[in-house]
Amino acid sequence: LMYKSLYVQMAFVIVSGIPAVLVPNLFLTLCGFPPSTDIWIRVLGLLLLAIAPYYYNMARHGNVPVVRATVQGRVFFSIGLLVLVGFKLASWPMVVLAVSELALAGWTAWELRQTA
């Protein structure tokens, strides 16, 4: 039982986490935020890197209830981003992130149905 979508999700969080830690203002600019000297973006990057091993192990070992929970969490996150954009609290790059996350969550949901 292996979830290829979760390997992609793992890569997605690593590719997002590394620049958030090392070059946070580049990351912020790409996401449509102004540059910042605050620590929060680096903390977010560390959190993203910290969850990468979870995705690796879920992809490899596939605990169905936990994998299902990631789908629910990622859908919630995506809807939250879209709401923020809708209220003009975030800019359009967050739509790209939300749609990408929804697509990956949908792929994982499809893989779950295939293993049922």
Side-chain angles (χ1 to χ4, degrees), residues 95-109:
V95 173
V96 175
L97 178 60
V99 170
S100 300
E101 194 67 51
L102 278 173
L104 281 169
W107 182 12
T108 305

Side-chain angles (χ1 to χ4, degrees), residues 2-46:
M2 186 170 59
Y3 297 92
K4 292 178 183 171
S5 64
L6 293 178
Y7 284 116
V8 175
Q9 183 70 29
M10 177 192 69
F12 187 67
V13 298
I14 290 171
V15 167
S16 300
I18 290 172
V21 171
L22 299 178
V23 283
N25 284 327
L26 173 64
F27 181 81
L28 287 169
T29 302
L30 289 173
C31 292
F33 294 104
S36 176
T37 57
D38 292 338
I39 191 69
W40 70 267
I41 189 62
R42 292 179 194 266
V43 172
L44 175 64
L46 288 171

Side-chain angles (χ1 to χ4, degrees), residues 24-107:
N25 284 327
L26 173 64
F27 181 81
L28 287 169
T29 302
L30 289 173
C31 292
F33 294 104
S36 176
T37 57
D38 292 338
I39 191 69
W40 70 267
I41 189 62
R42 292 179 194 266
V43 172
L44 175 64
L46 288 171
L47 180 60
L48 287 167
L49 294 172
I51 65 173
Y54 294 101
Y55 283 114
Y56 174 78
N57 281 294
M58 283 183 284
R60 188 171 169 134
H61 303 292
N63 180 304
V64 171
V66 177
V67 172
R68 188 175 296 119
T70 73
V71 172
Q72 295 164 348
R74 292 184 285 156
V75 168
F76 172 80
F77 176 70
S78 299
I79 292 169
L81 288 177
L82 294 173
V83 167
L84 291 174
V85 172
F87 281 108
K88 300 191 185 315
L89 298 171
S91 59
W92 70 268
M94 292 297 102
V95 173
V96 175
L97 178 60
V99 170
S100 300
E101 194 67 51
L102 278 173
L104 281 169
W107 182 12

